[in-house]
Amino acid sequence: MTPSSPSAPDDDERSPPLGWQAQKSASTRTQITEAAIKCFVEYGYSRTTTTLIAEKAGLSRGAMLHHFPSRLAVVRAAVEHLHSKRLRAFRKAVTKPSTDGDHVRQGVEAYWSHVRHPMFVAFFELAVAARSDKELASILRPAQEAFEREWHQAAVDVFPEWRGRGEKFDLALDLSRYVLEGMAISFLTHKETERDQRVLTYLDEKIRELAGLPKLADAPERK
Amino acid sequence: MTPSSPSAPDDDERSPPLGWQAQKSASTRTQITEAAIKCFVEYGYSRTTTTLIAEKAGLSRGAMLHHFPSRLAVVRAAVEHLHSKRLRAFRKAVTKPSTDGDHVRQGVEAYWSHVRHPMFVAFFELAVAARSDKELASILRPAQEAFEREWHQAAVDVFPEWRGRGEKFDLALDLSRYVLEGMAISFLTHKETERDQRVLTYLDEKIRELAGLPKLADAPERK
DNA sequence: CCGGTTTCAATCAATTTTGACTTTTTCAAG
DNA sequence: CTTGAAAAAGTCAAAATTGATTGAAACCGG
């Protein structure tokens, strides 16, 4: 069932030979939660069984259930882990010094990269499953709300000059969120085309309009 | 397990006393597929078991498996049924004589109503599940592609004057699709606010811009 | 009224998943 | 080197789901 070697040094085993049991335990726990997240992305939420998680983490199922007594406990930990990772990655993306001082472009790009990352897929799977699973919903809601607050705060930080013009600001935020998430979700089943680049460029343009910023001379290449 | 009366006259039982067995069978089959669709909406795809479908359809499980030999057969039929219903409803919405000759408004409104309908939720559940279920994906893909072709055709029909200006036309279409679907999906877990009405109004406005139509004097109330 | 077909109901075995329980291994401290 | 606690592995029964099989009931044509 678990043919992998008992102590396969994964990417979380890089802790120095402090050899502490507590540290090893923590390392194993993150290994498990990350395996769970990978399973969400690869197999979807409902197909993520404890067996599958243990297999992907390179542990026996019994070992996993020692760290997390039940499936839900793993899910809980995975949600927290995913949330903090997501938050950290997003913060890093928006606080990165802008390459050309183009706040709009950077903000859009940051969230666009974010929603195309596997982490967003994992969170999306959880969100969809939570729609008809009240228990999961109660676990997910705090993390989701926290992320959205952070998202909004990041937007305020990126556009400090935009204070007071609340109505258009909110509109630009909502529009961006819906367009980018809608595109990202669409791309889960469809493949990207050149047309979609035009949508991103157009979104940039409209946000600038709403912000009262000057039009960009020409749209530079998007990666 | 199935406490409901054996021959509960549901909304599909209203066929006249033609008493034919073949017709009754067809009626029962649509009853089953519609029950399956309801289950997708209410419990999600993965939790929609054969037991649950039979229960919701008011049949014994054995009776259901007589009409559809396997779970997948039910899903297949449900996808087809859902697809034709979706297509019919959408066609009706877009071909309805516009109340005030405002094509843009009508088109947006039509698709907005569509994505807020339970049928869209069901299709969405299927689409998400299909992401990690190749068998379901192969069932769903034809229906999805057919609907998208029809969607595009409907857009062309609603804006006959827009031929030739392909680039902006496609942009308007893509934008609308992403915004509306993104909003609809967001509303599956969040609740609607007044801010979202502004996004719809803004979308109307931008489509008019792209089409080169005059700005609307004032935004009438949305229902 | 009868015969055969269709529809429906109920039971059964096989499989999967889960969580509890037991046993073995690892490892740091004395 | 011994020892005891933590970690890992393996085993087990209970529950759920599925599809097959069998038996009963309704219905139509003759």
Side-chain angles (χ1 to χ4, degrees), chain B residues 20-126:
Chain B
W20 228 341
Q21 273 174 329
Q23 290 219 347
K24 164 120 189 185
S25 174
S27 159
T28 305
R29 283 168 57 101
T30 70
Q31 220 173 309
I32 292 169
T33 55
E34 295 200 341
I37 293 169
K38 279 182 201 160
C39 289
F40 294 155
V41 175
E42 194 167 350
Y43 306 104
Y45 176 76
S46 65
R47 290 185 158 185
T48 298
T49 66
T50 52
T51 307
L52 208 54
I53 298 173
E55 193 176 322
K56 181 141 288 210
L59 268 68
S60 81
R61 205 176 136 267
M64 194 185 81
L65 260 65
H66 166 74
H67 292 276
F68 299 100
S70 78
R71 181 183 179 280
L72 204 67
V74 181
V75 171
R76 215 184 302 270
V79 168
E80 277 174 44
H81 187 75
L82 180 59
H83 171 60
S84 74
K85 265 186 80 171
R86 218 158 81 98
L87 209 54
R88 210 165 7 188
F90 180 65
R91 276 214 194 95
K92 188 174 160 193
V94 291
T95 59
K96 184 173 60 180
S98 70
T99 55
D100 51 355
D102 185 348
H103 290 165
V104 173
R105 170 70 182 280
Q106 189 190 353
V108 171
E109 201 70 46
Y111 197 53
W112 178 234
S113 311
H114 178 76
V115 295
R116 292 185 58 82
H117 193 278
M119 283 189 293
F120 180 78
V121 179
F123 230 99
F124 179 66
E125 275 285 339
L126 288 164

Side-chain angles (χ1 to χ4, degrees), chain B residues 162-203:
Chain B
W162 211 345
R163 293 193 191 272
R165 231 179 312 176
E167 192 130 333
K168 285 186 179 174
F169 185 68
D170 285 345
L171 180 57
L173 252 50
D174 292 341
L175 184 72
S176 304
R177 203 165 87 80
Y178 295 139
V179 170
L180 295 180
E181 290 183 7
M183 279 181 78
I185 291 165
S186 169
F187 288 172
L188 293 180
T189 49
H190 297 67
K191 58 183 179 305
E192 195 169 352
T193 71
E194 336 73 63
R195 282 170 56 172
D196 303 307
Q197 290 303 327
R198 288 205 281 267
V199 176
L200 289 179
T201 307
Y202 182 80
L203 179 62

Side-chain angles (χ1 to χ4, degrees), chain A residues 153-170:
Chain A
Q153 188 55 45
V156 172
D157 292 345
V158 171
F159 299 103
E161 70 274 20
W162 213 345
R163 292 195 192 272
R165 230 178 316 175
E167 190 131 334
K168 283 187 179 178
F169 185 69
D170 286 345

Side-chain angles (χ1 to χ4, degrees), chain A residues 200-216:
Chain A
L200 288 179
T201 308
Y202 182 80
L203 178 63
D204 267 11
E205 189 186 318
K206 291 307 142 189
I207 295 173
R208 282 204 184 78
E209 261 182 37
L210 286 167
L213 294 172
K215 219 182 267 188
L216 213 57

Side-chain angles (χ1 to χ4, degrees), chain A residues 19 49-50 61 65 70-71:
Chain A
T49 65
T50 53
R61 210 179 78 85
L65 260 65
S70 77
R71 181 184 180 280

